[in-house]
Amino acid sequence: RIGVLWTRNQQLKEAFGNVSGFTAPSQFAQYAIVPLLEDMDKMKKFIRFNQAELRSAFGMVAVLLKSAGINFLPAQGGMFLWVDLRELLAAPAVDNELGWAAEEELVHDLSESAGIVLTPGRPCHAPQPGFFRLCFAWNKRDVTEVALQRLVTYARLRRQEIAKEEPLRRNLFKEEPFTSSA
């Protein structure tokens, strides 16, 4: 993979210039990519194609998530989106160790039970447990669709489990007002 930073922002160029020595592609890769980057007609065509593919992939993902009642934050020109799975956590989605442990448990269960891998929110600096990063542009469309169908099925079954546990959950996680014994 080769990433290209294309910007007029001088501060951004300087910031990336400080780290580019550690992340530069090989000389062979640079030699191969330079002619492509210099051909503006090809670049414009590629960018239009890439944008159309990203838009299409995002559209498919958005339709499936919406139809399943899974909330998400739409992508803003990238290949990831935030999926809100807080309702599927085994503990309240609060920024504490219990909440983050519940997120890790959900990551493991999604992998083991549904055969899907989502990036948990904690390493991505999510504000609270239960948000996951979903990449919709890496795999082929049919692979992404299968993974999303698995997520939808998992969410439906997990919601059913939670509904059965709801009276217990309400009692366990209910916040009692603090009262002094004095």
Side-chain angles (χ1 to χ4, degrees):
R1 287 185 218 178
I2 295 180
V4 176
L5 175 65
W6 195 316
T7 182
R8 292 185 182 131
N9 182 322
Q10 193 57 39
Q11 288 179 312
L12 188 58
K13 283 188 212 177
E14 289 172 13
F16 273 87
N18 290 331
V19 295
S20 65
F22 301 107
T23 60
S26 69
Q27 288 180 334
F28 178 75
Q30 290 179 40
Y31 180 78
I33 197 76
V34 166
L36 295 172
L37 294 173
E38 289 178 338
D39 186 336
M40 292 307 292
D41 290 335
K42 281 186 183 176
M43 285 305 303
K44 287 177 184 176
K45 185 177 179 181
F46 170 76
I47 289 170
R48 282 193 302 273
F49 172 79
N50 193 48
Q51 288 172 333
E53 288 293 306
L54 285 172
R55 197 173 311 125
S56 174
F58 171 75
M60 183 264 300
V61 169
V63 165
L64 285 171
L65 292 175
K66 283 179 186 176
S67 70
I70 297 174
N71 295 322
F72 62 94
L73 295 173
Q76 299 294 319
M79 55 190 204
F80 305 102
L81 56 82
W82 278 109
V83 180
D84 181 358
L85 301 180
R86 291 177 293 178
E87 68 173 318
L88 305 181
L89 295 175
V94 293
D95 185 9
N96 64 26
E97 286 310 309
L98 181 64
W100 294 114
E103 181 179 88
E104 283 302 315
E105 182 182 324
L106 183 56
V107 168
H108 179 75
D109 199 39
L110 283 166
S111 175
E112 293 296 314
S113 301
I116 56 175
V117 177
L118 295 174
T119 304
R122 190 174 204 175
C124 299
H125 307 286
Q128 65 184 123
F131 288 94
F132 292 81
R133 191 179 77 168
L134 185 152
C135 176
F136 58 86
W138 174 251
N139 291 314
K140 292 181 179 177
R141 187 181 181 108
D142 59 333
V143 173
T144 301
E145 195 166 356
V146 168
L148 285 169
Q149 290 297 343
R150 290 179 183 180
L151 177 60
V152 166
T153 300
Y154 178 90
R156 181 177 43 78
L157 295 173
R158 182 72 182 120
R159 286 173 180 146
Q160 290 171 356
E161 285 177 18
I162 290 170
K164 290 176 188 172
E165 300 168 356
E166 193 56 38
L168 177 62
R169 287 170 64 99
R170 270 198 305 270
N171 289 332
L172 283 176
F173 300 125
K174 166 172 75 172
E175 289 187 25
E176 296 289 332
F178 176 77
T179 56
S180 172
S181 58

